[in-house]
C-alpha cells in the first residue's frame, strides 16, 4: 500500500482510487482495517489542504458468522468514520444466490464430462440449501469460499472499485497454499499469493509479510478483540474432534503449532507458492463453471493419466470391436441421461481439476449452482501481475 495511487492527495481534481476491503470475521481483518483507518487519518494530518488518498468501501458478507458493524462504529466513532469517508456494505448471501440463475451441473464420472442444464431462477433457494447438497465438510467449505470470492468481485464491480484488498496474513497464505495443493486446486495458488488482475481490477494482500501470531498481538494490544465475539474465542481448533474438521482447519492447526517454534517455515511455504506461475501463452483459456478459475490443462487428461498412464491403442480386430462397444456404451449412457433432462438440452461445460475431484470424492453427481449474473464480464480474464 506504499504505491503512489494510495498516497495523500493535495488536489481535489486528482482522482481517488476506490478500494473494496473484503471483510472476514477474523483477527487479520480487524487488524488490517485498523491499519487502513490509521493510514487515512494520518493522511489528513499532512497539512490543511491534505485529502485522503483513496476511498475505502468495507464489504462484509452476511452468512453464518455475520459481522456486527455497530461494534466497529462504536469503537471508531461515527464522526471519525465519516471524516475518513469509509463506507460499509453488507451483502446477503441468500440474495446473491437468488439474484442469478441456478444451473444444474452434472458430472459423468465415466467420461469425466460435465454438463449444465440451462439456468432457471429460483427465488427461494438459500445459501444453506445450496450447501446441503453436499455432505462433505471440506467440499462445503470449498464451495462457500468460491461464493464469497464471487460476492467480493461482484460487489467491487458494482461499487466501481478498481482494487480489492484481501486481509490474508502470511500464515493464512501458507494455509491456503497447502490446503489448495491437498484439495487438487493448485492452479489457484498464484491467484491467492500474487498481486493479480482480474479483468481490469487488482487484488492486493497488504498483510502478506505478517505472521498470524503478530496479527494477534496487534489485536490484543489495541483491544480489537472486543470487536467480535469470534476474536475472543479461546477454544482452539485442536479441541474439535478430527472427524469434524475440514482440510483447511487441519492445515490451519498445523501452521498454528509450527509457527511458534519455526516461524521461517511459514515464509518458506509462501515464497515457494509465490514462485508458482500459470502457463501463459495458451491461446484460448476456458474457465471452470463452478469456481471460475482459468483452466490451463484439460483436467480430464490429468485424471486419465494418473489412473492409466498412456494406454496401448487397440490393435487386433477384436480389440477394435471391444473399444467401439465401450465407446457406444458411454455414448448410450449419455443419451439416456440427456433424455431424462427436461426438454432443455444440457450444454457441455468445463470444470477445473479441483472441482471435478471435489464433486467425485463427495459423490455429488448433480449440483445446483448459481451461474452468476455478471459471470461473462467478471471472469473474462485473470492476469498475473509481472511486477510482483
Ligand atoms: Zn473449479
Amino acid at each position: 500500500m506504499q504505491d503512489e495511487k494510495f498516497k495523500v492527495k493535495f488536489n481535489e481534481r486528482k482522482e481517488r482510487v476506490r478500494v473494496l476491503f473484503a471483510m472476514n470475521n477474523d483477527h487479520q481483518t480487524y487488524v488490517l482495517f485498523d491499519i487502513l483507518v490509521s493510514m487515512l487519518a494520518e493522511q489528513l494530518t499532512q497539512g490543511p489542504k491534505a485529502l485522503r488518498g483513496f476511498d475505502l468501501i468495507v464489504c462484509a458478507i452476511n452468512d453464518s458468522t455475520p459481522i456486527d458493524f455497530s461494534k466497529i462504529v462504536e469503537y471508531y466513532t461515527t464522526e471519525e468514520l465519516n471524516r475518513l469517508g469509509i463506507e460499509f456494505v453488507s451483502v446477503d448471501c441468500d440474495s446473491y444466490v437468488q439474484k442469478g440463475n441456478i444451473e444444474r451441473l452434472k458430472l459423468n464420472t465415466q467420461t469425466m464430462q460435465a454438463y449444465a442444464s440451462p439456468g432457471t431462477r429460483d427465488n427461494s433457494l438459500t445459501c444453506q440449501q445450496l450447501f446441503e447438497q453436499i455432505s462433505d465438510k471440506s467440499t462445503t467449505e470449498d464451495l462457500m469460499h468460491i461464493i464469497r470470492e464471487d460476492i467480493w468481485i461482484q460487489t467491487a464491480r458494482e461499487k466501481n472499485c478498481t482494487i480489492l484488498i484481501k486481509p490474508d496474513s502470511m500464515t493464512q497464505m501458507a494455509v491456503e497454499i497447502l490446503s489448495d495443493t491437498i484439495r487438487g486446486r493448485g492452479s489457484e495458488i498464484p491467484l491467492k499469493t500474487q498481486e493479480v488482475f482480474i479483468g481490469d481490477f487488482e487484488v492486493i494482500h497488504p498483510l502478506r509479510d505478517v505472521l498470524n501470531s503478530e496479527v494477534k498481538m496487534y489485536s490484543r494490544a489495541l483491544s480489537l478483540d472486543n470487536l467480535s465475539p469470534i476474536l475472543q474465542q479461546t477454544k482452539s481448533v485442536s479441541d474439535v474432534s478430527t472427524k469434524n474438521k475440514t482440510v483447511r482447519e487441519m492445515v490451519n492447526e498445523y501452521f498454528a503449532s509450527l509457527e511458534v517454534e519455526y516461524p521461517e517455515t511459514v515464509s518458506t511455504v509462501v515464497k515457494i507458492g509465490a514462485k508458482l506461475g500459470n502457463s501463459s501463452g495458451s491461446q484460448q483459456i476456458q474457465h471452470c463453471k463452478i469456481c471460475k478459475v482459468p483452466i490451463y490443462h484439460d483436467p480430464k487428461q490429468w485424471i486419465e493419466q494418473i489412473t492409466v498412464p498412456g494406454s496401448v491403442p487397440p490393435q487386433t480386430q477384436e480389440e477394435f470391436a471391444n473399444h467401439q462397444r465401450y465407446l457406444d456404451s458411454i455414448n448410450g449412457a449419455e443419451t439416456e441421461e440427456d433424455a431424462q433432462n427436461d426438454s432443455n438440452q444440457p450444454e457441455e461445460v468445463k470444470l477445473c481439476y479441483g472441482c471435478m475431484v471435489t464433486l467425485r470424492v463427495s459423490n455429488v453427481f448433480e449440483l445446483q449452482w448459481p451461474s452468476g449474473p455478471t459471470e461473462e464480464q467478471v471472469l473474462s480474464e485473470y492476469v498475473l501481475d509481472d511486477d510482483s
Side-chain angles (χ1 to χ4, degrees), residues 146 185 188 287-293 295 350-356:
I146 293 169
R185 296 185 175 276
E188 290 171 41
H287 294 267
C288 172
K289 197 72 187 168
I290 298 179
C291 70
K292 332 286 204 252
V293 300
I295 299 172
K350 287 278 175 218
L351 294 187
C352 70
Y353 180 80
C355 288
M356 217 175 240

Side-chain angles (χ1 to χ4, degrees), residues 52-115:
R52 62 173 190 273
F54 56 95
D55 288 334
L56 184 63
I57 294 106
V58 179
C59 176
I61 297 171
N62 230 338
D63 54 9
S64 50
T65 53
I67 289 167
D68 189 358
F69 281 147
S70 66
K71 284 261 173 69
I72 300 176
V73 173
E74 198 184 305
Y75 184 88
Y76 294 98
T77 75
T78 318
E79 298 74 47
E80 180 65 356
L81 294 173
N82 285 343
R83 186 176 78 97
L84 302 177
I86 299 174
E87 188 186 327
F88 290 92
V89 203
S90 176
V91 181
D92 190 54
C93 220
D94 290 344
S95 60
Y96 159 81
V97 173
Q98 290 153 7
K99 199 160 69 173
N101 284 342
I102 302 291
E103 280 178 329
R104 283 189 299 147
L105 301 178
K106 278 193 176 190
L107 180 68
N108 182 327
T109 40
Q110 268 185 312
T111 56
M112 292 318 275
Q113 214 80 278
Y115 300 90

Side-chain angles (χ1 to χ4, degrees), residues 305-361:
Q305 275 171 5
I306 289 166
T307 47
V308 189
S311 57
V312 183
Q315 277 153 354
T316 65
Q317 220 167 13
E318 193 191 348
E319 280 170 359
F320 270 111
N322 282 339
H323 183 64
Q324 192 53 47
R325 229 177 316 159
Y326 166 70
L327 291 179
D328 289 347
S329 77
I330 300 175
N331 292 337
E334 253 169 52
T335 356
E336 222 172 81
E337 252 179 51
D338 290 355
Q340 283 170 6
N341 276 311
D342 324 329
S343 51
N344 299 321
Q345 196 67 15
E347 159 209 9
E348 193 181 332
V349 290
K350 287 278 175 218
L351 294 187
C352 70
Y353 180 80
C355 288
M356 217 175 240
V357 171
T358 298
L359 292 188
R360 195 158 77 148
V361 170

Side-chain angles (χ1 to χ4, degrees), residues 146 149-150 153 180 184-192 196-199 277-299 302 349-356 375 378-385:
I146 293 169
E149 291 290 309
D150 207 34
I153 291 176
D180 274 351
R185 296 185 175 276
S187 71
E188 290 171 41
I189 292 174
L191 300 177
K192 289 182 181 169
V196 289
F197 279 93
I198 300 179
N278 271 318
S279 43
S280 49
S282 326
Q283 327 71 19
Q284 262 257 295
I285 293 174
Q286 282 178 300
H287 294 267
C288 172
K289 197 72 187 168
I290 298 179
C291 70
K292 332 286 204 252
V293 300
I295 299 172
Y296 298 98
H297 303 282
D298 185 5
W302 278 114
V349 290
K350 287 278 175 218
L351 294 187
C352 70
Y353 180 80
C355 288
M356 217 175 240
E375 193 190 49
V378 171
L379 311 157
S380 53
E381 223 182 343
Y382 280 78
V383 183
L384 291 181
D385 186 2

Side-chain angles (χ1 to χ4, degrees), residues 35-233:
I35 295 172
L36 292 173
V37 168
S38 317
M39 188 176 167
L40 285 170
E42 200 265 337
Q43 287 186 343
L44 295 186
T45 60
Q46 296 182 19
K49 283 192 174 167
L51 300 163
R52 62 173 190 273
F54 56 95
D55 288 334
L56 184 63
I57 294 106
V58 179
C59 176
I61 297 171
N62 230 338
D63 54 9
S64 50
T65 53
I67 289 167
D68 189 358
F69 281 147
S70 66
K71 284 261 173 69
I72 300 176
V73 173
E74 198 184 305
Y75 184 88
Y76 294 98
T77 75
T78 318
E79 298 74 47
E80 180 65 356
L81 294 173
N82 285 343
R83 186 176 78 97
L84 302 177
I86 299 174
E87 188 186 327
F88 290 92
V89 203
S90 176
V91 181
D92 190 54
C93 220
D94 290 344
S95 60
Y96 159 81
V97 173
Q98 290 153 7
K99 199 160 69 173
N101 284 342
I102 302 291
E103 280 178 329
R104 283 189 299 147
L105 301 178
K106 278 193 176 190
L107 180 68
N108 182 327
T109 40
Q110 268 185 312
T111 56
M112 292 318 275
Q113 214 80 278
Y115 300 90
S117 304
T120 46
R121 191 160 292 202
D122 185 347
N123 290 332
S124 60
L125 190 75
T126 63
C127 233
Q128 192 58 34
Q129 286 170 330
L130 208 62
F131 297 138
E132 276 166 8
Q133 301 175 91
I134 306 124
S135 54
D136 174 65
K137 271 186 182 333
S138 285
T139 307
T140 314
E141 192 186 52
D142 273 354
L143 296 182
M144 212 182 287
H145 204 79
I146 293 169
I147 290 213
R148 291 177 71 89
E149 291 290 309
D150 207 34
I151 291 181
W152 280 316
I153 291 176
Q154 281 192 23
T155 317
R157 286 190 181 249
E158 279 164 22
K159 291 278 167 192
N160 293 321
C161 296
T162 48
I163 292 165
L164 175 63
I165 296 191
K166 296 289 206 62
D168 296 349
S169 66
M170 193 201 289
T171 317
Q172 184 62 36
M173 281 189 173
V175 170
E176 297 288 331
I177 291 170
L178 280 204
S179 43
D180 274 351
T181 310
I182 297 166
R183 308 275 301 147
R185 296 185 175 276
S187 71
E188 290 171 41
I189 292 174
L191 300 177
K192 289 182 181 169
T193 52
Q194 298 177 20
E195 316 285 282
V196 289
F197 279 93
I198 300 179
D200 48 6
F201 78 92
E202 202 181 348
V203 184
I204 59 170
H205 309 89
L207 292 185
R208 57 175 308 149
D209 296 323
V210 187
L211 291 169
N212 246 358
S213 48
E214 295 170 314
V215 165
K216 284 186 182 163
M217 264 183 249
Y218 182 110
S219 173
R220 221 170 304 133
L222 284 147
S223 317
L224 299 179
D225 287 1
N226 300 330
L227 293 178
S228 165
I230 288 198
L231 306 190
Q232 295 163 21
Q233 265 175 15

